[in-house]
Amino acid sequence: MELTKVDNWIGGCFVPPKSKEYLSLGCPHSGVIFGSVALSNGEDVEVAVLCAKKVQVSWMERTTKARAEVLFKMRELVGANQQRLVMCIANEHGKTPFEAEAEVLKSIEILGYACSAPQLISGKIQAVSKGVTCFERRDPVGIVASIVPFNFPMMVPFWTVPLALVTGNCVILKPSEKAPQTMKLVAEIFKKAGVPDGVFQIVNGSKNAVEAICDHPDITLVTFVGTSRVAEMVTHRCRLLNKHVLALGGAKNFLVAAQDCHVELTSSNVVSSFTGCTGQRCMAASALIIIGDQAQLLDLIVRKASMLRPKNKQDGVYDKDAIGPVIDGASKHKIISYIDQAEQNGSQILLDGREWYKASITSEYGEGGYWVGPTVILHASSDEPAIQEEIFGPVLSVVKVSTFEEAISIQKSSIYGNAACIYTSSGEVAEWFASRFEAGMIGINVGVPVPSEPFSFGGMKMSKFGELDITGEQAIDLFTVKKKISVRWSQ
């Protein structure tokens, strides 16, 4: 098998890193090395910034409509390459084709929203006194860097890149070193769409690249999505240089099942939430609080989750009964360690996914890979690490309580505040919880409450560092500087 090499995309072409160093890429399905990705440093970031500075003014001086025309072409070409992108995501990340297709379609949807920028960014104008008019204009912030995670190698970059470009900024993207191939393909598509060389660039790598991005004085804004620990470090490092920064961190999303919930709908939705994308999404359910004795609900969740099976090469695009591997060996061992610890602490393992990785998945993939099956744990205490900490895998931790107050107390005690959901048939109950949840995104009978544009994506507490959200209307404010202008012409 020919190994894939992922170089940096700088100045409209692929170039090797200055260090000449590469990191091996392992296939999540089998663990077999299939390629390598560039490990960049400050020299590579400097070259990318210099290229961006050469074209920043000319890109900014285009009208918003002219920039939007380029995005329309991007949207057309992404659609034309949809199947290539789907298979690239599925192969490098481990998602099922169904999940990968959903990611590509969501990216196209975000592009469509960015195409409407000429209508979205028009400013206010008003006569404020005799002979004096005030108006506002939006200018780009300059050079934007986006540091993105592995779990959505296309969609998360599209949270920032299209809106940053259409508002007149140049963008330097730092993909996850665990899943860099998808945006390599996207870079080629962007060039065909007419994005000028230097306006969109990719610098691959890990810690050295991130630190160089945070420290570069000519990068005006940094966006980050990843763990809370790194998000806090990135925020602090950027603010030392008075940079604009928005960093999204980890999550521990609590679902609450009231006694009047629709059992069939709730069980299906909970399973979809905690097993979708193998639990590797910041919006996945990872803790379920059941109010009262709801044996039927818990039995249905376990039964439906147990029907899922490892993805194989024969699965069709729309096969929803299969789930893929986790991203790498470190993730697999971390997930299993939480299950082991819960068992040692006396929790009941109602569904055990630890045996998946020992099985031969298919003859095509061979033995090995990073497989963990759906797991359901019933805890006696909400203080368990699996209840409080982010696992990022297909593990559902369940705890039973007697009252609404106990349920809301557990959710509010979390250091995270990304998302929360209440399952109920009562509008009064839904309103009670929605008004009390400490989370930026709330679902009512929706276990993955991702807001669609124009609504913005962002959490609270340790799930977000920064004042604005990363998509939708707030992202337009993030990527622009509002200038307020007062005019008097009359004597």
Side-chain angles (χ1 to χ4, degrees), residues 40-119:
S40 304
N41 55 31
E43 291 183 77
D44 302 286
V45 172
E46 175 67 19
V47 174
V49 169
L50 290 175
C51 287
K53 289 173 72 173
K54 290 178 182 178
V55 294
Q56 173 66 51
V57 173
S58 61
W59 180 245
M60 177 185 69
E61 288 180 343
R62 293 195 189 190
T63 64
T64 307
K65 182 180 178 181
R67 294 192 296 264
E69 289 292 339
V70 176
L71 263 67
F72 273 111
K73 185 63 176 177
M74 287 161 54
R75 187 175 184 275
E76 175 188 335
L77 290 175
V78 168
N81 287 273
Q82 178 176 319
Q83 195 55 35
R84 289 179 65 201
L85 289 163
V86 166
M87 296 315 300
C88 185
I89 293 169
N91 289 334
E92 76 165 338
H93 177 276
K95 280 186 170 79
T96 67
F98 172 77
E99 293 167 340
E101 183 182 61
E103 178 173 351
V104 174
L105 291 174
K106 181 61 180 177
S107 302
I108 293 172
E109 179 183 323
I110 298 169
L111 258 177
Y113 178 76
C115 288
S116 62
Q119 288 72 45

Side-chain angles (χ1 to χ4, degrees), residues 6 36 39 59 77 108 114 149 196 236:
V6 182
S36 60
L39 287 176
W59 180 245
L77 290 175
I108 293 172
H236 178 70

Side-chain angles (χ1 to χ4, degrees), residues 61 107 114 203 262 339:
E61 288 180 343
S107 302
V203 174
H262 189 290
I339 304 171

